Amino acid sequence: MTGVVVVGSQWGDEGKGKIVDWLSSQADVVIRFQGGNNAGHTLVIDGETYKLNILPSGILRSDKISIIGNGVVLDLHALKKEIDAISARGVSITPENLYISDRATLILPLHKNLDELRENNNILKIGTTKRGIGPAYEDKVGRRALRLCDIFEKASLQKKVKILLNHHNAIMRGFGAKEYNEQTVTDEIFEIGRFAKQFSRPINEISNVINQNKKKILFEGAQGFLLDIDHGTYPFVTSSNVHASYASIGSGLNPQLINHVLAITKAYTTRVGNGPFPTEQDNEIGQKLGEIGKEFGTVTKRKRRCGWFDTVLVRQALIQSGVTGIALTKIDVLDHFEEIKICVGYKLNGKEIDYFPSSEVDQNNIIPIYETFKGWQSNTTGIKELEKLPQGAQDYISLISKLTKTKIDLVSTSPKREDTILINKIFN
């Protein structure tokens, strides 16, 4: 049995969707193990573009089993809308190829309302997508959340809703906002639960399916390591653990199933929302990277902040996540640059450091140290063999491997599924 975990090594938007979709052709099961519908994946298949927010990327292959794990926070209304939209395009989504862990925590309309109230009123602007992700995780940790398994029996559901509203209505009073009606909330949740019940699976059933015939498993993460609630640029982070080790916790499966950790790494750096970004280019270079790379959020359509590759951040993410290989994406975006800069270290208070500090104050005061690399200014789009890349591009790939101390397993040369250079085998 082989388990491959795919994680982002930067602030998300590294191109995980395409890589997971490409790898899913070799897998039997694809599991989404954390996050919510605040993270999206864009996939281009046979000229068709698909934008997924919560469904695992393997869902576009009807012969695979796609699983939404217990580590995910799930907006059932958003899920139904996404399933309806994808199904309308001819993709088969049934209880036979989509499982949802019955332990997944639910995002409710009240979570989205609270998220928006905070973003509009709080002094600290995190830059969330206002989709209720953070408040849902808060309720999970506070032990008052509703899980999928809680919503199929109405009397029991109503008792849990009463506990939940005891907390949320107090917050609404604090904002001077309208309180929630217990019966209305219960009825709405119960109704959408009728739709979700067909996909609900207990962990033992999921485990049994995984263990049959020594399945190949692909664990799919959302966002990127630098948004991890513990190890990211706190407080400008997401509300879950993006760390590769969370694949086991967020799926409920044995960690011994994991054999390989693949880090999706963009050939430059982008970030959505607020927070520190040492190599950001708030200038013509950043604008050029964004325009060529089409750097707009899959979910929010927000323009991404763009900058040069940051070796320090990526290397730190790879070491902490136990990464065994890199999938380097968007190398083709750099085709158009005469020179390319790479951050190889920082200066903090006049001293050189080779790590990203924990303190928000220090993070905002670090100065990147750059090395300049001569651009290849030749087209790499669609190339499928490493030796056919321009020598400059090959040298850049080798340099990233050397600086991050991690081997490059594959290189993506366009958003298309087939434009992928496999260097090292991923699944055993």
Side-chain angles (χ1 to χ4, degrees):
M1 189 176 297
T2 305
V4 175
V5 179
V6 174
V7 292
S9 66
Q10 294 150 303
W11 280 290
D13 309 310
E14 300 97 348
K16 291 184 295 297
K18 170 200 166 163
I19 302 301
V20 170
D21 174 66
W22 185 82
L23 287 171
S24 68
S25 65
Q26 305 166 49
D28 301 297
V29 180
V30 181
I31 304 176
R32 170 79 180 271
F33 61 84
Q34 52 79 222
N37 61 313
N38 58 335
H41 291 153
T42 300
L43 300 90
V44 180
I45 302 170
D46 298 329
E48 292 284 321
T49 299
Y50 297 86
K51 295 182 182 295
L52 305 179
N53 295 335
I54 193 64
L55 289 170
S57 298
I59 201 67
L60 299 177
R61 299 176 184 271
S62 59
D63 60 330
K64 312 297 179 183
I65 295 174
S66 291
I67 299 174
I68 297 175
N70 57 274
V72 172
V73 285
L74 185 61
D75 182 334
L76 293 179
H77 293 283
L79 175 67
K80 185 178 186 304
K81 183 178 179 181
E82 188 170 332
I83 288 176
D84 289 345
I86 297 296
S87 298
R89 298 180 64 181
V91 177
S92 177
I93 302 177
T94 70
E96 282 67 51
N97 68 350
L98 176 63
Y99 298 176
I100 304 175
S101 171
D102 63 0
R103 301 185 184 196
T105 295
L106 301 184
I107 301 173
L108 307 176
L110 57 82
H111 292 128
K112 292 187 284 186
N113 187 34
L114 177 56
D115 204 354
E116 186 167 0
L117 283 169
R118 286 173 171 170
E119 280 292 303
N120 293 340
N121 290 276
N122 202 319
I123 294 173
L124 175 63
K125 298 289 185 181
I126 299 296
T128 77
T129 57
K130 300 180 183 179
R131 280 164 167 74
I133 311 300
Y137 274 115
E138 287 176 36
D139 281 345
K140 177 180 180 177
V141 175
R143 294 166 293 189
R144 56 183 169 266
L146 297 177
R147 301 182 298 170
L148 187 58
C149 58
D150 296 326
I151 68 173
F152 304 132
E153 202 282 310
K154 199 165 191 179
S156 174
L157 170 62
Q158 188 147 10
K159 291 178 182 177
K160 291 182 179 293
V161 168
K162 185 174 183 177
I163 295 171
L164 183 65
L165 293 188
N166 182 57
H167 174 80
H168 279 272
N169 279 335
I171 296 175
M172 290 300 103
R173 289 193 293 271
F175 276 110
K178 183 180 178 180
E179 295 183 30
Y180 301 104
N181 177 271
E182 180 183 310
Q183 192 62 54
T184 300
V185 172
T186 301
D187 290 345
E188 182 181 88
I189 297 170
F190 186 73
E191 184 58 35
I192 191 66
R194 295 177 187 273
F195 158 77
K197 189 173 183 179
Q198 61 183 314
F199 301 109
S200 177
R201 297 287 187 277
I203 186 61
N204 64 301
E205 187 174 324
I206 292 174
S207 295
N208 288 339
V209 169
I210 296 295
N211 289 326
Q212 289 172 3
N213 303 317
K214 296 186 178 180
K215 298 287 186 182
K216 292 181 179 179
I217 316 160
L218 194 59
F219 296 89
E220 176 185 12
Q223 289 102 13
F225 183 87
L226 299 177
L227 292 175
D228 185 278
I229 187 68
D230 285 299
H231 303 288
T233 49
Y234 189 90
F236 301 98
V237 293
T238 193
S239 298
S240 60
N241 286 108
V242 188
H243 200 291
S245 63
Y246 198 75
S248 173
I249 298 170
S251 63
L253 299 177
N254 189 326
Q256 292 181 345
L257 296 177
I258 299 171
N259 311 104
H260 190 83
V261 179
L262 182 69
I264 315 302
T265 304
K266 192 179 286 185
Y268 50 101
T269 311
T270 62
R271 174 164 201 172
V272 171
N274 300 329
F277 185 170
T279 63
E280 181 176 12
Q281 299 297 299
D282 189 13
N283 50 32
E284 291 182 3
I285 291 173
Q287 183 176 348
K288 185 176 179 180
L289 284 167
E291 289 175 355
I292 298 172
K294 298 179 181 178
E295 297 295 351
F296 297 91
T298 300
V299 174
T300 64
K301 309 301 180 188
R302 288 185 295 178
K303 184 179 179 180
R304 296 172 186 148
R305 300 155 62 190
C306 298
W308 296 120
F309 187 85
D310 190 329
T311 300
V312 180
L313 281 173
V314 171
R315 185 173 60 233
Q316 196 160 310
L318 302 182
I319 292 171
Q320 288 185 255
S321 282
V323 167
T324 46
I326 289 174
L328 190 66
T329 63
K330 290 202 165 184
I331 188 77
D332 51 300
V333 174
L334 299 180
D335 292 351
H336 311 274
F337 289 84
E338 184 176 345
E339 66 175 29
I340 300 165
K341 291 187 177 181
I342 301 176
C343 173
V344 295
Y346 299 139
K347 279 189 177 180
L348 177 63
N349 300 324
K351 296 181 179 180
E352 290 191 14
I353 60 173
D354 61 355
Y355 64 93
F356 190 69
S358 302
S359 163
E360 185 180 350
V361 174
D362 288 344
Q363 290 173 2
N364 288 324
N365 288 330
I366 57 178
I367 300 171
I369 300 170
Y370 289 111
E371 287 187 3
T372 301
F373 186 90
K374 181 177 171 55
W376 48 91
Q377 294 186 287
S378 180
N379 185 41
T380 62
T381 302
I383 292 178
K384 302 177 179 63
E385 297 176 40
L386 186 65
E387 59 271 18
K388 291 186 178 180
L389 288 173
Q391 188 59 51
Q394 293 185 47
D395 292 343
Y396 185 77
I397 293 167
S398 297
L399 180 60
I400 287 179
S401 178
K402 178 182 178 181
L403 291 173
T404 60
K405 301 179 181 179
T406 307
K407 64 184 175 70
I408 308 293
D409 281 339
L410 58 88
V411 177
S412 171
T413 58
S414 95
K416 295 180 181 178
R417 176 194 282 172
E418 61 272 18
D419 292 341
T420 305
I421 300 171
L422 180 63
I423 301 172
N424 298 300
K425 191 175 181 181
I426 308 299
F427 280 103
N428 295 327

